[in-house]
Amino acid sequence: MAEQFDPATHPHRRFNPLTGEHVLVSPHRTKRPWLGQTEPPQPTDLPTYDPACYLCPGNARAGGERNPAYAQTMVFTNDFAAVLPPPAPTAPPAPHPLLTTRPVDGQCDVLVFHPRHDVTLPRLAHADMLTVVAEWARVYAARGRQPGVAHVQIFENKGAMMGCSNPHPHGQVWSLSEVPTIPATELANLARYAAAPTAAPSDAPRGPKGCPCLLCEYVHFERSVPANEGRIVVQNEHWVALVPWWATWPFEILLLPYHRHIPSLLHLTDKENDSFARILSAMTKRYDNLFQCSFAYSMGIHQRPVPAPDGVQDDDDDDVAHLHLHFFPPLLRSATVRKFLVGFELMAEAQRDLTPEQAAQRLRACSEVHYLDAPAEVAA
Amino acid sequence: MAEQFDPATHPHRRFNPLTGEHVLVSPHRTKRPWLGQTEPPQPTDLPTYDPACYLCPGNARAGGERNPAYAQTMVFTNDFAAVLPPPAPTAPPAPHPLLTTRPVDGQCDVLVFHPRHDVTLPRLAHADMLTVVAEWARVYAARGRQPGVAHVQIFENKGAMMGCSNPHPHGQVWSLSEVPTIPATELANLARYAAAPTAAPSDAPRGPKGCPCLLCEYVHFERSVPANEGRIVVQNEHWVALVPWWATWPFEILLLPYHRHIPSLLHLTDKENDSFARILSAMTKRYDNLFQCSFAYSMGIHQRPVPAPDGVQDDDDDDVAHLHLHFFPPLLRSATVRKFLVGFELMAEAQRDLTPEQAAQRLRACSEVHYLDAPAEVAA
Ligand SMILES: [Zn+2]
Ligand SMILES: [Zn+2]
């Protein structure tokens, strides 16, 4: 009597073991018409240099300083930083145990990816992408080893619909005296899994002290699923980009190394950095090709909160971290129709219509040649 | 030597005891210029009846059905429901312990607040607001007592920037066979507080079995703070609307009863319903007056997941819930500049610039007379 369960048809819930939260999946609903607000189209014909851009070489910034004539990347302190350098004043006693205040200090850096105003990550040449990857590692090491820094968060907001005010390709690095909520939760769940794994031992790589790693196990399983049924979008000799089983955003991607347990950017070999740059290029090109637009997203790098101090051996507790990047893109069904994270999702639980498997299938079907570089007949 | 800590000047973190998450507060940053995307202005001259609106009386809906000529509220099943009525098929065994699936069933209702296309909550007459409040309670009781329903979530998305496709005033009610992530977390934290309170006993009301209630204690403390320093926006004989200590959204409001522990809408007396309708009107009018626009938000009602079964005595474990409404409005500094929840907030931790105390002060300074009803010289 009972119908066969089909995850591409029947509403269900999936569990995110990194955050401990659920997502409600409503695959039968993908056909509903869109009556809501649409986004303005992204500008496509950007100049290579914009005299009004505060990130272009030689231009003045909000704080009055002038950018150097930089040739590769550029890093500077955010003129409107969310935290300020130490020391922070001591907080007074809480007026009530439920109303606690902890002063936070740290640094907010801006990391400009390239001198050209119009070259986003998917449009970077391989050598330039390698420079960005090296710069992320350099800033992580420099800020993470400053006294008092407990966590370094590298992220990028791309596109006006992600609140990004400037199309010049750049990301940010916020280094704080506290470990923020989400990385702290992920680290706690990684540590919990290492101590009490829920899966039987596999031949996946192991984390520190020979304990299983949640992400090593997860990506190992995903690589065993037949490619046309699974969630992997693209992979190379060290890295996998996949739409995770528990994805919240329509075309969310989790990018991570699979062939060994890698706690941070500083653990990458030259070869792993090279394949990192290649897969970043391959997956962001597919993003742009999906709706033939500059695909908006928020990206974040999760890894060890800060590097081990100089001279300290690896394999300490924080090495339970497994380096990974989250890409959360808002677009849903075209270059101008986005997902809104509102209502039920703000009040109760994340929700999606398109399944992660369907999203991965759509992204796999995209070309790895950027649509702006493709011959006209291919791009059409 | 050390500077005195000032929560209106120095970056700090606050803890949300309902969700267990932190928010990073950067009050020194409120002066940064806005260079990002602005929102289209909201339409102000809406017709009282729109022949193209699928919620107006007598019109056809997406599913083909025709609305009755309703005179007060109207409830119908969402034509594109996120979950479907039971029975759901049984899920197959998980392919891996990290990839679990749970079928979910339930009902998604649309609750139209009023036959007039142009009358939002702040513009409703008192008798009509009372009808909305009664309808929320009626739907909560009816859906919550259906076999298999574990949680009833009432919410409203108001405004195009909250993804709401239709200005006709309406909310939604999603009744699910599982308790969603956020209410489950809040209930667990309320239960934890009742068992092991962090504050010394006060003369605040108590929850079930004489145990302290986190929200009774919190709102009791807030009422003891001098009005011009505190976070209370408006209060009456039973209810308080305040910008919580841990608010994430710029003008977030927590609306809750303070004079006794009230687990759900079904526990409200006639007098409490009357003052509930009055404070809803008072606080949403202030919202509209803040930037002289129809103020967008997502609103959600948190309470007992479902009512106690008929005949079962109250004071059971679920009565640890304390009825409250969250209002999450995106606007930040004018009718067209919104907060984007992106980047650091998606990858690390919620963040705000304006302090909750400053937001409460701004809302307290607004008139309780709706700007569209005010004489021109007052509105100017
Ligand atoms: Zn992560
Ligand atoms: Zn709540």
Side-chain angles (χ1 to χ4, degrees), chain B residues 18 182 186 215 254 302 324 326:
Chain B
L18 277 176
I182 297 168
E186 289 195 359
L215 285 175
L254 179 68
H302 284 158
H324 61 276
H326 298 282

Side-chain angles (χ1 to χ4, degrees), chain B residues 200-318:
Chain B
S202 76
D203 51 353
R206 298 290 179 109
K209 304 177 183 79
C211 291
C213 163
L214 194 163
L215 285 175
C216 285
E217 292 289 341
Y218 173 60
V219 70
H220 181 77
F221 172 78
E222 290 289 19
R223 294 189 70 243
S224 76
V225 177
N228 59 338
E229 298 168 19
R231 286 159 290 275
I232 292 178
V233 174
V234 50
Q235 56 183 313
N236 63 24
E237 61 274 43
H238 305 115
W239 296 80
V240 160
L242 53 79
V243 182
W245 173 258
W246 50 78
T248 293
W249 296 89
F251 294 96
E252 180 174 334
I253 280 185
L254 179 68
L255 172 60
L256 73 175
Y258 67 82
H259 65 108
R260 65 185 186 99
H261 181 76
I262 299 183
S264 83
L265 292 170
L266 302 186
H267 293 74
L268 293 171
T269 64
D270 287 350
K271 281 192 174 167
E272 289 162 349
N273 273 319
D274 191 81
S275 58
F276 183 20
R278 289 190 196 280
I279 200 162
L280 272 169
S281 183
M283 61 150 283
T284 55
K285 281 190 173 73
R286 283 169 192 271
Y287 265 170
D288 277 11
N289 287 345
L290 182 63
F291 298 129
Q292 303 223 342
C293 66
S294 183
F295 202 66
Y297 58 72
S298 278
M299 176 280 281
I301 303 182
H302 284 158
Q303 55 183 329
R304 268 185 73 109
V306 292
D310 273 323
V312 170
Q313 199 153 11
D314 273 348
D315 215 34
D316 65 2
D317 283 349
D318 279 347

Side-chain angles (χ1 to χ4, degrees), chain B residues 165-214:
Chain B
S165 49
N166 191 330
H168 196 121
H170 69 286
Q172 300 189 56
V173 186
W174 291 16
S175 308
L176 266 65
S177 56
E178 304 262 343
V179 183
T181 300
I182 297 168
T185 300
E186 289 195 359
L187 282 166
N189 284 321
L190 288 163
R192 202 169 291 131
Y193 191 90
T198 56
S202 76
D203 51 353
R206 298 290 179 109
K209 304 177 183 79
C211 291
C213 163
L214 194 163

Side-chain angles (χ1 to χ4, degrees), chain A residues 110-130:
Chain A
V110 175
L111 197 168
V112 185
F113 296 153
H114 197 274
R116 266 182 59 178
H117 187 74
D118 62 333
V119 183
T120 56
L121 282 191
R123 310 274 289 146
L124 281 187
H126 179 62
D128 292 327
M129 189 72 97
L130 267 180

